[in-house]
């Protein structure tokens, strides 16, 4: 197990850890390595962090339960066996409501901040304008997070302290895997919102992301479908 970075903002054990957790309060992310990597695969869980920094809690206009609405709860635990199977696992320890590493680093909603945004900030992306940039304005369901606007310096500090170390660790795992096997398959691990189950009409149906499925290499598409089917799941788009 390797801890990534060590931001001061997570060192204090008094931070709001909303449930019993083995997640580190001293580092933004943790890498779990196999004794010997035997698979050309890297697993990453970017949205299951549940160590809530004090500044997020104090600035929030919503309670602790509502803050967790965007969290992919326990997904890191669902994939905890990856290292025993021969693949590394990277887990964010900070929550998605604080920093979303599945966005461009400067994908920022200008309505959130006091101060001038960097000239290269992506303020026109649909995700940023929806409040779902790298520093989210809302949690799942469109509920506003903050009482007031945030200083842009705070946002840039979060990116430097959390976003950048996470992606540096992910890139290192990918590069190492490609060096070993000649290629790397990245499996980004997520969960779906509970209300999405209202649309499920076939028990055991699994959802495959519409954006990623079409760009899978041709040989991986049927392989993934067979894997789901073998475990009694019905792969769908």
């Amino acid at each position: 197990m390797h801890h990534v970075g060590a931001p001061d903002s997570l060192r204090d054990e008094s931070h709001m850890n909303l449930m019993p957790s083995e997640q580190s309060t001293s580092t933004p992310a943790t890498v779990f390595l196999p004794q010997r990597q035997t698979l050309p695969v890297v697993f990453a869980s970017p949205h299951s962090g549940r160590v809530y920094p004090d500044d997020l809690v104090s600035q929030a206009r919503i309670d602790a339960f509502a803050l967790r609405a965007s969290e992919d709860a326990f997904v890191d635990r669902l994939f905890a066996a990856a290292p025993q199977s021969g693949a590394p696992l990277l887990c964010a320890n900070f929550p998605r409501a604080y920093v979303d590493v599945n966005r461009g680093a400067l994908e920022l909603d200008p309505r959130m901040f006091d101060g001038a945004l960097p000239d290269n900030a992506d303020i026109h992306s649909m995700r940023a304008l929806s409040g779902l940039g790298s520093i989210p304005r809302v949690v799942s369901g469109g509920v506003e997070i903050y009482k007031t606007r945030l200083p842009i310096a705070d946002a840039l500090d979060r990116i430097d302290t959390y976003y950048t170390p996470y992606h540096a660790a992910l890139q290192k795992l990918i590069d190492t895997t490609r060096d070993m096997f000649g290629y790397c398959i990245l499996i980004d691990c997520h969960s779906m919102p509970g209300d999405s189950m209202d649309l499920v009409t076939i028990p055991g149906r699994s959802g495959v992301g519409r954006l990623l499925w079409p760009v899978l290499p041709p040989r991986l598409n049927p392989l993934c479908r067979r894997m789901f089917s073998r475990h009694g799941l019905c792969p769908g788009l």
Side-chain angles (χ1 to χ4, degrees):
M1 182 172 66
H2 172 64
H3 296 299
V4 178
D8 291 338
S9 57
L10 282 184
R11 283 196 174 122
D12 185 350
E13 295 290 335
S14 67
H15 286 291
M16 184 181 69
N17 199 347
L18 293 176
M19 64 184 62
S21 168
E22 73 288 356
Q23 287 186 324
S24 171
T25 60
S26 63
T27 59
T30 304
V31 176
F32 298 90
L33 295 172
Q35 288 188 345
R36 184 171 71 90
Q37 186 169 349
T38 57
L39 298 174
V41 179
V42 171
F43 289 85
S45 182
H47 293 159
S48 58
R50 48 190 174 270
V51 180
Y52 283 73
D54 287 340
D55 60 325
L56 172 60
V57 179
S58 63
Q59 294 166 337
R61 64 191 300 169
I62 54 179
D63 62 22
F65 184 79
L67 264 180
R68 297 193 60 223
S70 293
E71 184 185 313
D72 288 352
F74 302 117
V75 165
D76 57 320
R77 296 183 183 180
L78 290 176
F79 289 88
Q84 285 72 43
S85 300
L89 170 66
L90 170 65
C91 300
N93 296 326
F94 54 89
R96 181 186 189 182
Y98 195 57
V99 178
D100 191 339
V101 292
N102 274 26
R103 301 290 184 260
L106 294 178
E107 203 167 349
L108 300 170
D109 181 350
R111 295 168 294 178
M112 285 185 64
F113 306 107
D114 282 329
L117 272 65
D119 292 340
N120 58 339
D122 184 2
I123 63 174
H124 299 296
S125 81
M126 289 302 297
R127 294 183 298 195
L129 292 175
S130 299
L132 297 172
S134 58
I135 309 297
R137 176 172 52 83
V138 299
V139 292
S140 181
V143 179
E144 296 272 348
I145 296 175
Y146 296 100
K147 302 171 187 174
T148 60
R149 292 161 70 99
L150 302 177
I152 186 61
D154 288 0
L156 298 179
D157 181 66
R158 292 187 197 181
I159 291 168
D160 288 343
T161 307
Y162 298 89
Y163 185 102
T164 299
Y166 178 90
H167 277 278
L170 180 59
Q171 189 63 56
K172 183 177 180 181
L173 291 173
I174 291 172
D175 291 345
T176 299
T177 301
R178 293 173 78 174
D179 288 343
M180 293 175 64
F181 299 96
Y183 65 100
C184 175
I185 300 171
L186 172 62
I187 299 181
D188 218 39
C189 308
H190 298 270
S191 64
M192 296 296 291
D195 55 9
S196 67
M197 294 303 295
D198 296 341
L199 304 177
V200 174
T201 57
I202 303 176
R205 190 174 187 85
S206 58
V208 179
R210 292 179 182 272
L211 292 178
L212 299 182
W213 190 260
V215 299
L216 279 175
R219 62 179 177 174
L220 284 183
N221 192 312
L223 176 64
C224 290
R225 290 183 178 275
R226 288 197 301 271
M227 178 186 67
F228 280 117
S229 299
R230 188 164 59 246
H231 290 279
L233 300 172
C234 177
L237 296 175

